[in-house]
Amino acid sequence: MPEFTFRHFLYLCSMNGQAKVPSGFHGIVKWQSPSNIALVKYWGKKGVQLPQNPSISFTLSQCRTETSVTFEAAENFSLRFYFEGNENQAFAAKIEKFLLDHVADFPWLNQMSLNMESNNTFPHSSGIASSASSMSALVLCLLDIDRMLKGEAEIDLKKASCLARIASGSASRSVFPMMALWGKTDTLATSSDEYAVSLENQMNPIFKTYCDSILIVSDAAKLVSSRAGHSLMENNPYAAARYAQANRNIENLLAALRDGDLETFIEITESEAMQLHALMMCSTPSFILMKPNTLNIISEIRRFRETTQIPLCFTLDAGPNVHLLYPKQYADAVETFIDENLVRYCTDSKWIKDCVGNGPQKLMVMDAG
Ligand code: DP6
């Protein structure tokens, strides 16, 4: 148990039922949090950011956001947000809206001045979705400030995942190392639509060695935002069949993850990627998010797998870039294959080397006052 100090007493007790931030309270928190790549896709939502079906992802390692929040007790709430060194008022407004919707979770907000700085380790124009890493990093910083004020030792990761989910659904999964599942499934008693849960203890060790080589077919801005994409599912004629299929895929993928069954892993992972894109194609309006080179890479991967028997497979996000997934023991062979056969399909020969990672990391916490 952390020591319960006079400061915590001041915070918790109040004249009018409202928490009071001690004057002079200030400091800095800094977290890095990774992006993730979904194997079973979250595509379609209901209610307040609840998923229509459960999803599973690998937590990545190299594609991360680093966020620091400098905080200081103040008369009123104020917020400044800097992205890669430049003040970004549009993003500050988005964060402010998110925070003010959650005053109940952060009762100190209206007595705090916050200065946020955020940097991605991956290039802005690489087509890597940054909302998962950025929103989870931000929520972890805020919960750290909350933890200090309450005098608690640890952040509650379930709460972090829940708040991150509200900011961006996929961010709920980035809070956990290795692999996470978000969404209620009968196959996993601890699962919930409200937050993600760790799958670290459900994985055959081979999956902890997985690499994700991300081939950048195009670095252009997204054709359709995730938010708009999810809402297209509301009128998609195949929606009910999709959600049923995703539930079956979750059940079978969980079994494959436990058993180290790479054949089933490949079958489900590739089918999920194709379904995501098929759903976009048959939405109204319809979107084609693949490029000719996406298809060229997919054909090459299938040919390579057939001729070498190396268990390399692919997945896609809601865009044209291709994620190559494979156990680390095949890294040399796959990287040679990429260099010799696939970089020609990448924009400026760009690809990113990533792998399954250990989840968010606290980089700095200093408080005073
Ligand atoms: C295709 O989490 O970006 O990457 O909740 O609206 O922020 P919002 O959407 P977002 O959707 C991710 C969709 C996906 C699949 C996935 O990550 O599961």
Side-chain angles (χ1 to χ4, degrees):
M1 268 295 280
E3 201 191 337
F4 190 77
T5 64
F6 183 60
R7 191 180 81 207
H8 307 134
F9 174 74
L10 276 178
Y11 173 66
L12 290 172
C13 70
S14 60
M15 310 286 281
N16 57 4
Q18 249 217 326
K20 176 88 185 96
V21 175
S23 70
F25 180 67
H26 71 277
I28 179 164
V29 286
K30 185 169 185 180
W31 277 81
Q32 66 175 27
S33 189
S35 182
N36 67 71
I37 180 68
L39 304 171
V40 174
K41 310 291 182 182
Y42 147 56
W43 200 242
K45 50 174 126 176
K46 58 188 178 192
V48 182
Q49 282 281 109
L50 299 173
Q52 286 281 9
N53 64 263
S55 56
I56 289 180
S57 56
F58 274 134
T59 300
L60 297 180
S61 168
Q62 299 308 313
C63 293
R64 308 183 298 266
T65 300
E66 288 183 7
T67 298
S68 63
V69 179
T70 310
F71 53 92
E72 190 168 7
E75 293 282 299
N76 299 304
F77 170 73
S78 70
L79 168 68
R80 297 192 88 141
F81 181 84
Y82 294 82
F83 180 66
E84 291 178 348
N86 299 315
E87 184 156 21
N88 186 325
Q89 283 170 351
F91 211 71
K94 260 191 205 165
I95 296 174
E96 185 167 330
K97 174 163 184 342
F98 167 71
L99 294 179
L100 296 178
D101 284 350
H102 293 90
V103 181
D105 292 297
F106 306 113
W108 40 266
L109 268 181
N110 55 4
Q111 305 158 61
M112 204 74 91
S113 150
L114 303 172
N115 207 324
M116 303 177 173
E117 280 187 51
S118 198
N119 292 289
N120 289 341
T121 57
F122 48 95
H124 187 48
S125 53
S126 61
I128 311 286
S130 61
S131 65
S133 54
S134 59
M135 290 306 163
S136 50
L138 175 69
V139 163
L140 287 162
C141 286
L142 294 167
L143 284 178
D144 229 350
I145 300 173
D146 193 58
R147 175 194 66 76
M148 281 187 251
L149 278 162
K150 289 178 176 157
E152 292 172 353
E154 300 288 340
I155 285 179
D156 176 358
L157 287 185
K158 203 186 259 189
K159 187 168 185 191
S161 175
C162 186
L163 284 167
R165 171 206 111 224
I166 294 166
S168 175
S170 54
S172 65
R173 299 183 308 239
S174 275
V175 169
F176 299 100
M178 305 283 164
M179 284 193 110
L181 176 148
W182 169 43
K184 186 68 196 150
T185 165
D186 292 341
T187 322
L188 193 66
T190 52
S191 62
S192 167
D193 279 351
E194 306 271 334
Y195 48 81
V197 292
S198 171
L199 290 183
E200 195 178 356
N201 297 329
Q202 319 268 337
M203 297 164 73
N204 181 287
I206 186 123
F207 292 110
K208 299 190 177 172
T209 74
Y210 255 65
C211 301
D212 178 8
S213 300
I214 309 163
L215 271 50
I216 311 299
V217 171
S218 165
D219 55 11
K222 274 187 168 187
L223 205 58
V224 54
S225 73
S226 294
R227 206 158 287 259
H230 287 290
S231 69
L232 289 173
M233 284 302 285
E234 284 160 26
N235 294 317
N236 189 301
Y238 301 102
R242 158 64 193 158
Y243 302 143
Q245 175 74 39
N247 274 289
R248 280 192 296 276
N249 282 345
I250 288 280
E251 194 178 330
N252 294 332
L253 184 61
L254 282 172
L257 291 174
R258 277 191 289 261
D259 298 346
D261 174 356
L262 298 191
E263 206 175 311
T264 305
F265 174 86
I266 291 171
E267 194 182 302
I268 295 174
T269 300
E270 293 195 350
S271 164
E272 278 286 322
M274 292 309 213
Q275 282 182 47
L276 172 69
H277 283 254
L279 288 165
M280 289 303 286
M281 286 185 211
C282 63
S283 290
T284 311
S286 151
F287 290 94
I288 301 176
L289 303 180
M290 291 188 201
K291 298 276 181 222
N293 280 341
T294 312
L295 292 171
N296 285 328
I297 291 170
I298 290 173
S299 307
E300 295 257 13
I301 289 172
R302 289 185 165 168
R303 199 161 37 235
F304 175 84
R305 187 164 68 226
E306 218 169 281
T307 51
T308 62
Q309 298 301 305
I310 289 176
L312 166 68
C313 69
F314 69 86
T315 190
L316 307 166
D317 217 332
N321 301 332
V322 186
H323 292 245
L324 272 61
L325 301 174
Y326 52 96
K328 191 171 170 43
Q329 71 196 91
Y330 302 108
D332 286 347
V334 174
E335 285 179 19
T336 305
F337 168 58
I338 293 172
D339 286 338
E340 290 178 358
N341 298 64
L342 304 183
V343 282
R344 77 181 74 148
Y345 302 121
C346 300
T347 183
D348 301 328
S349 305
K350 270 195 280 189
W351 64 281
I352 294 173
K353 234 188 226 191
D354 211 336
C355 60
V356 169
N358 292 325
Q361 215 193 330
K362 187 187 294 205
L363 301 177
M364 189 200 305
V365 175
M366 278 161 47
D367 76 311

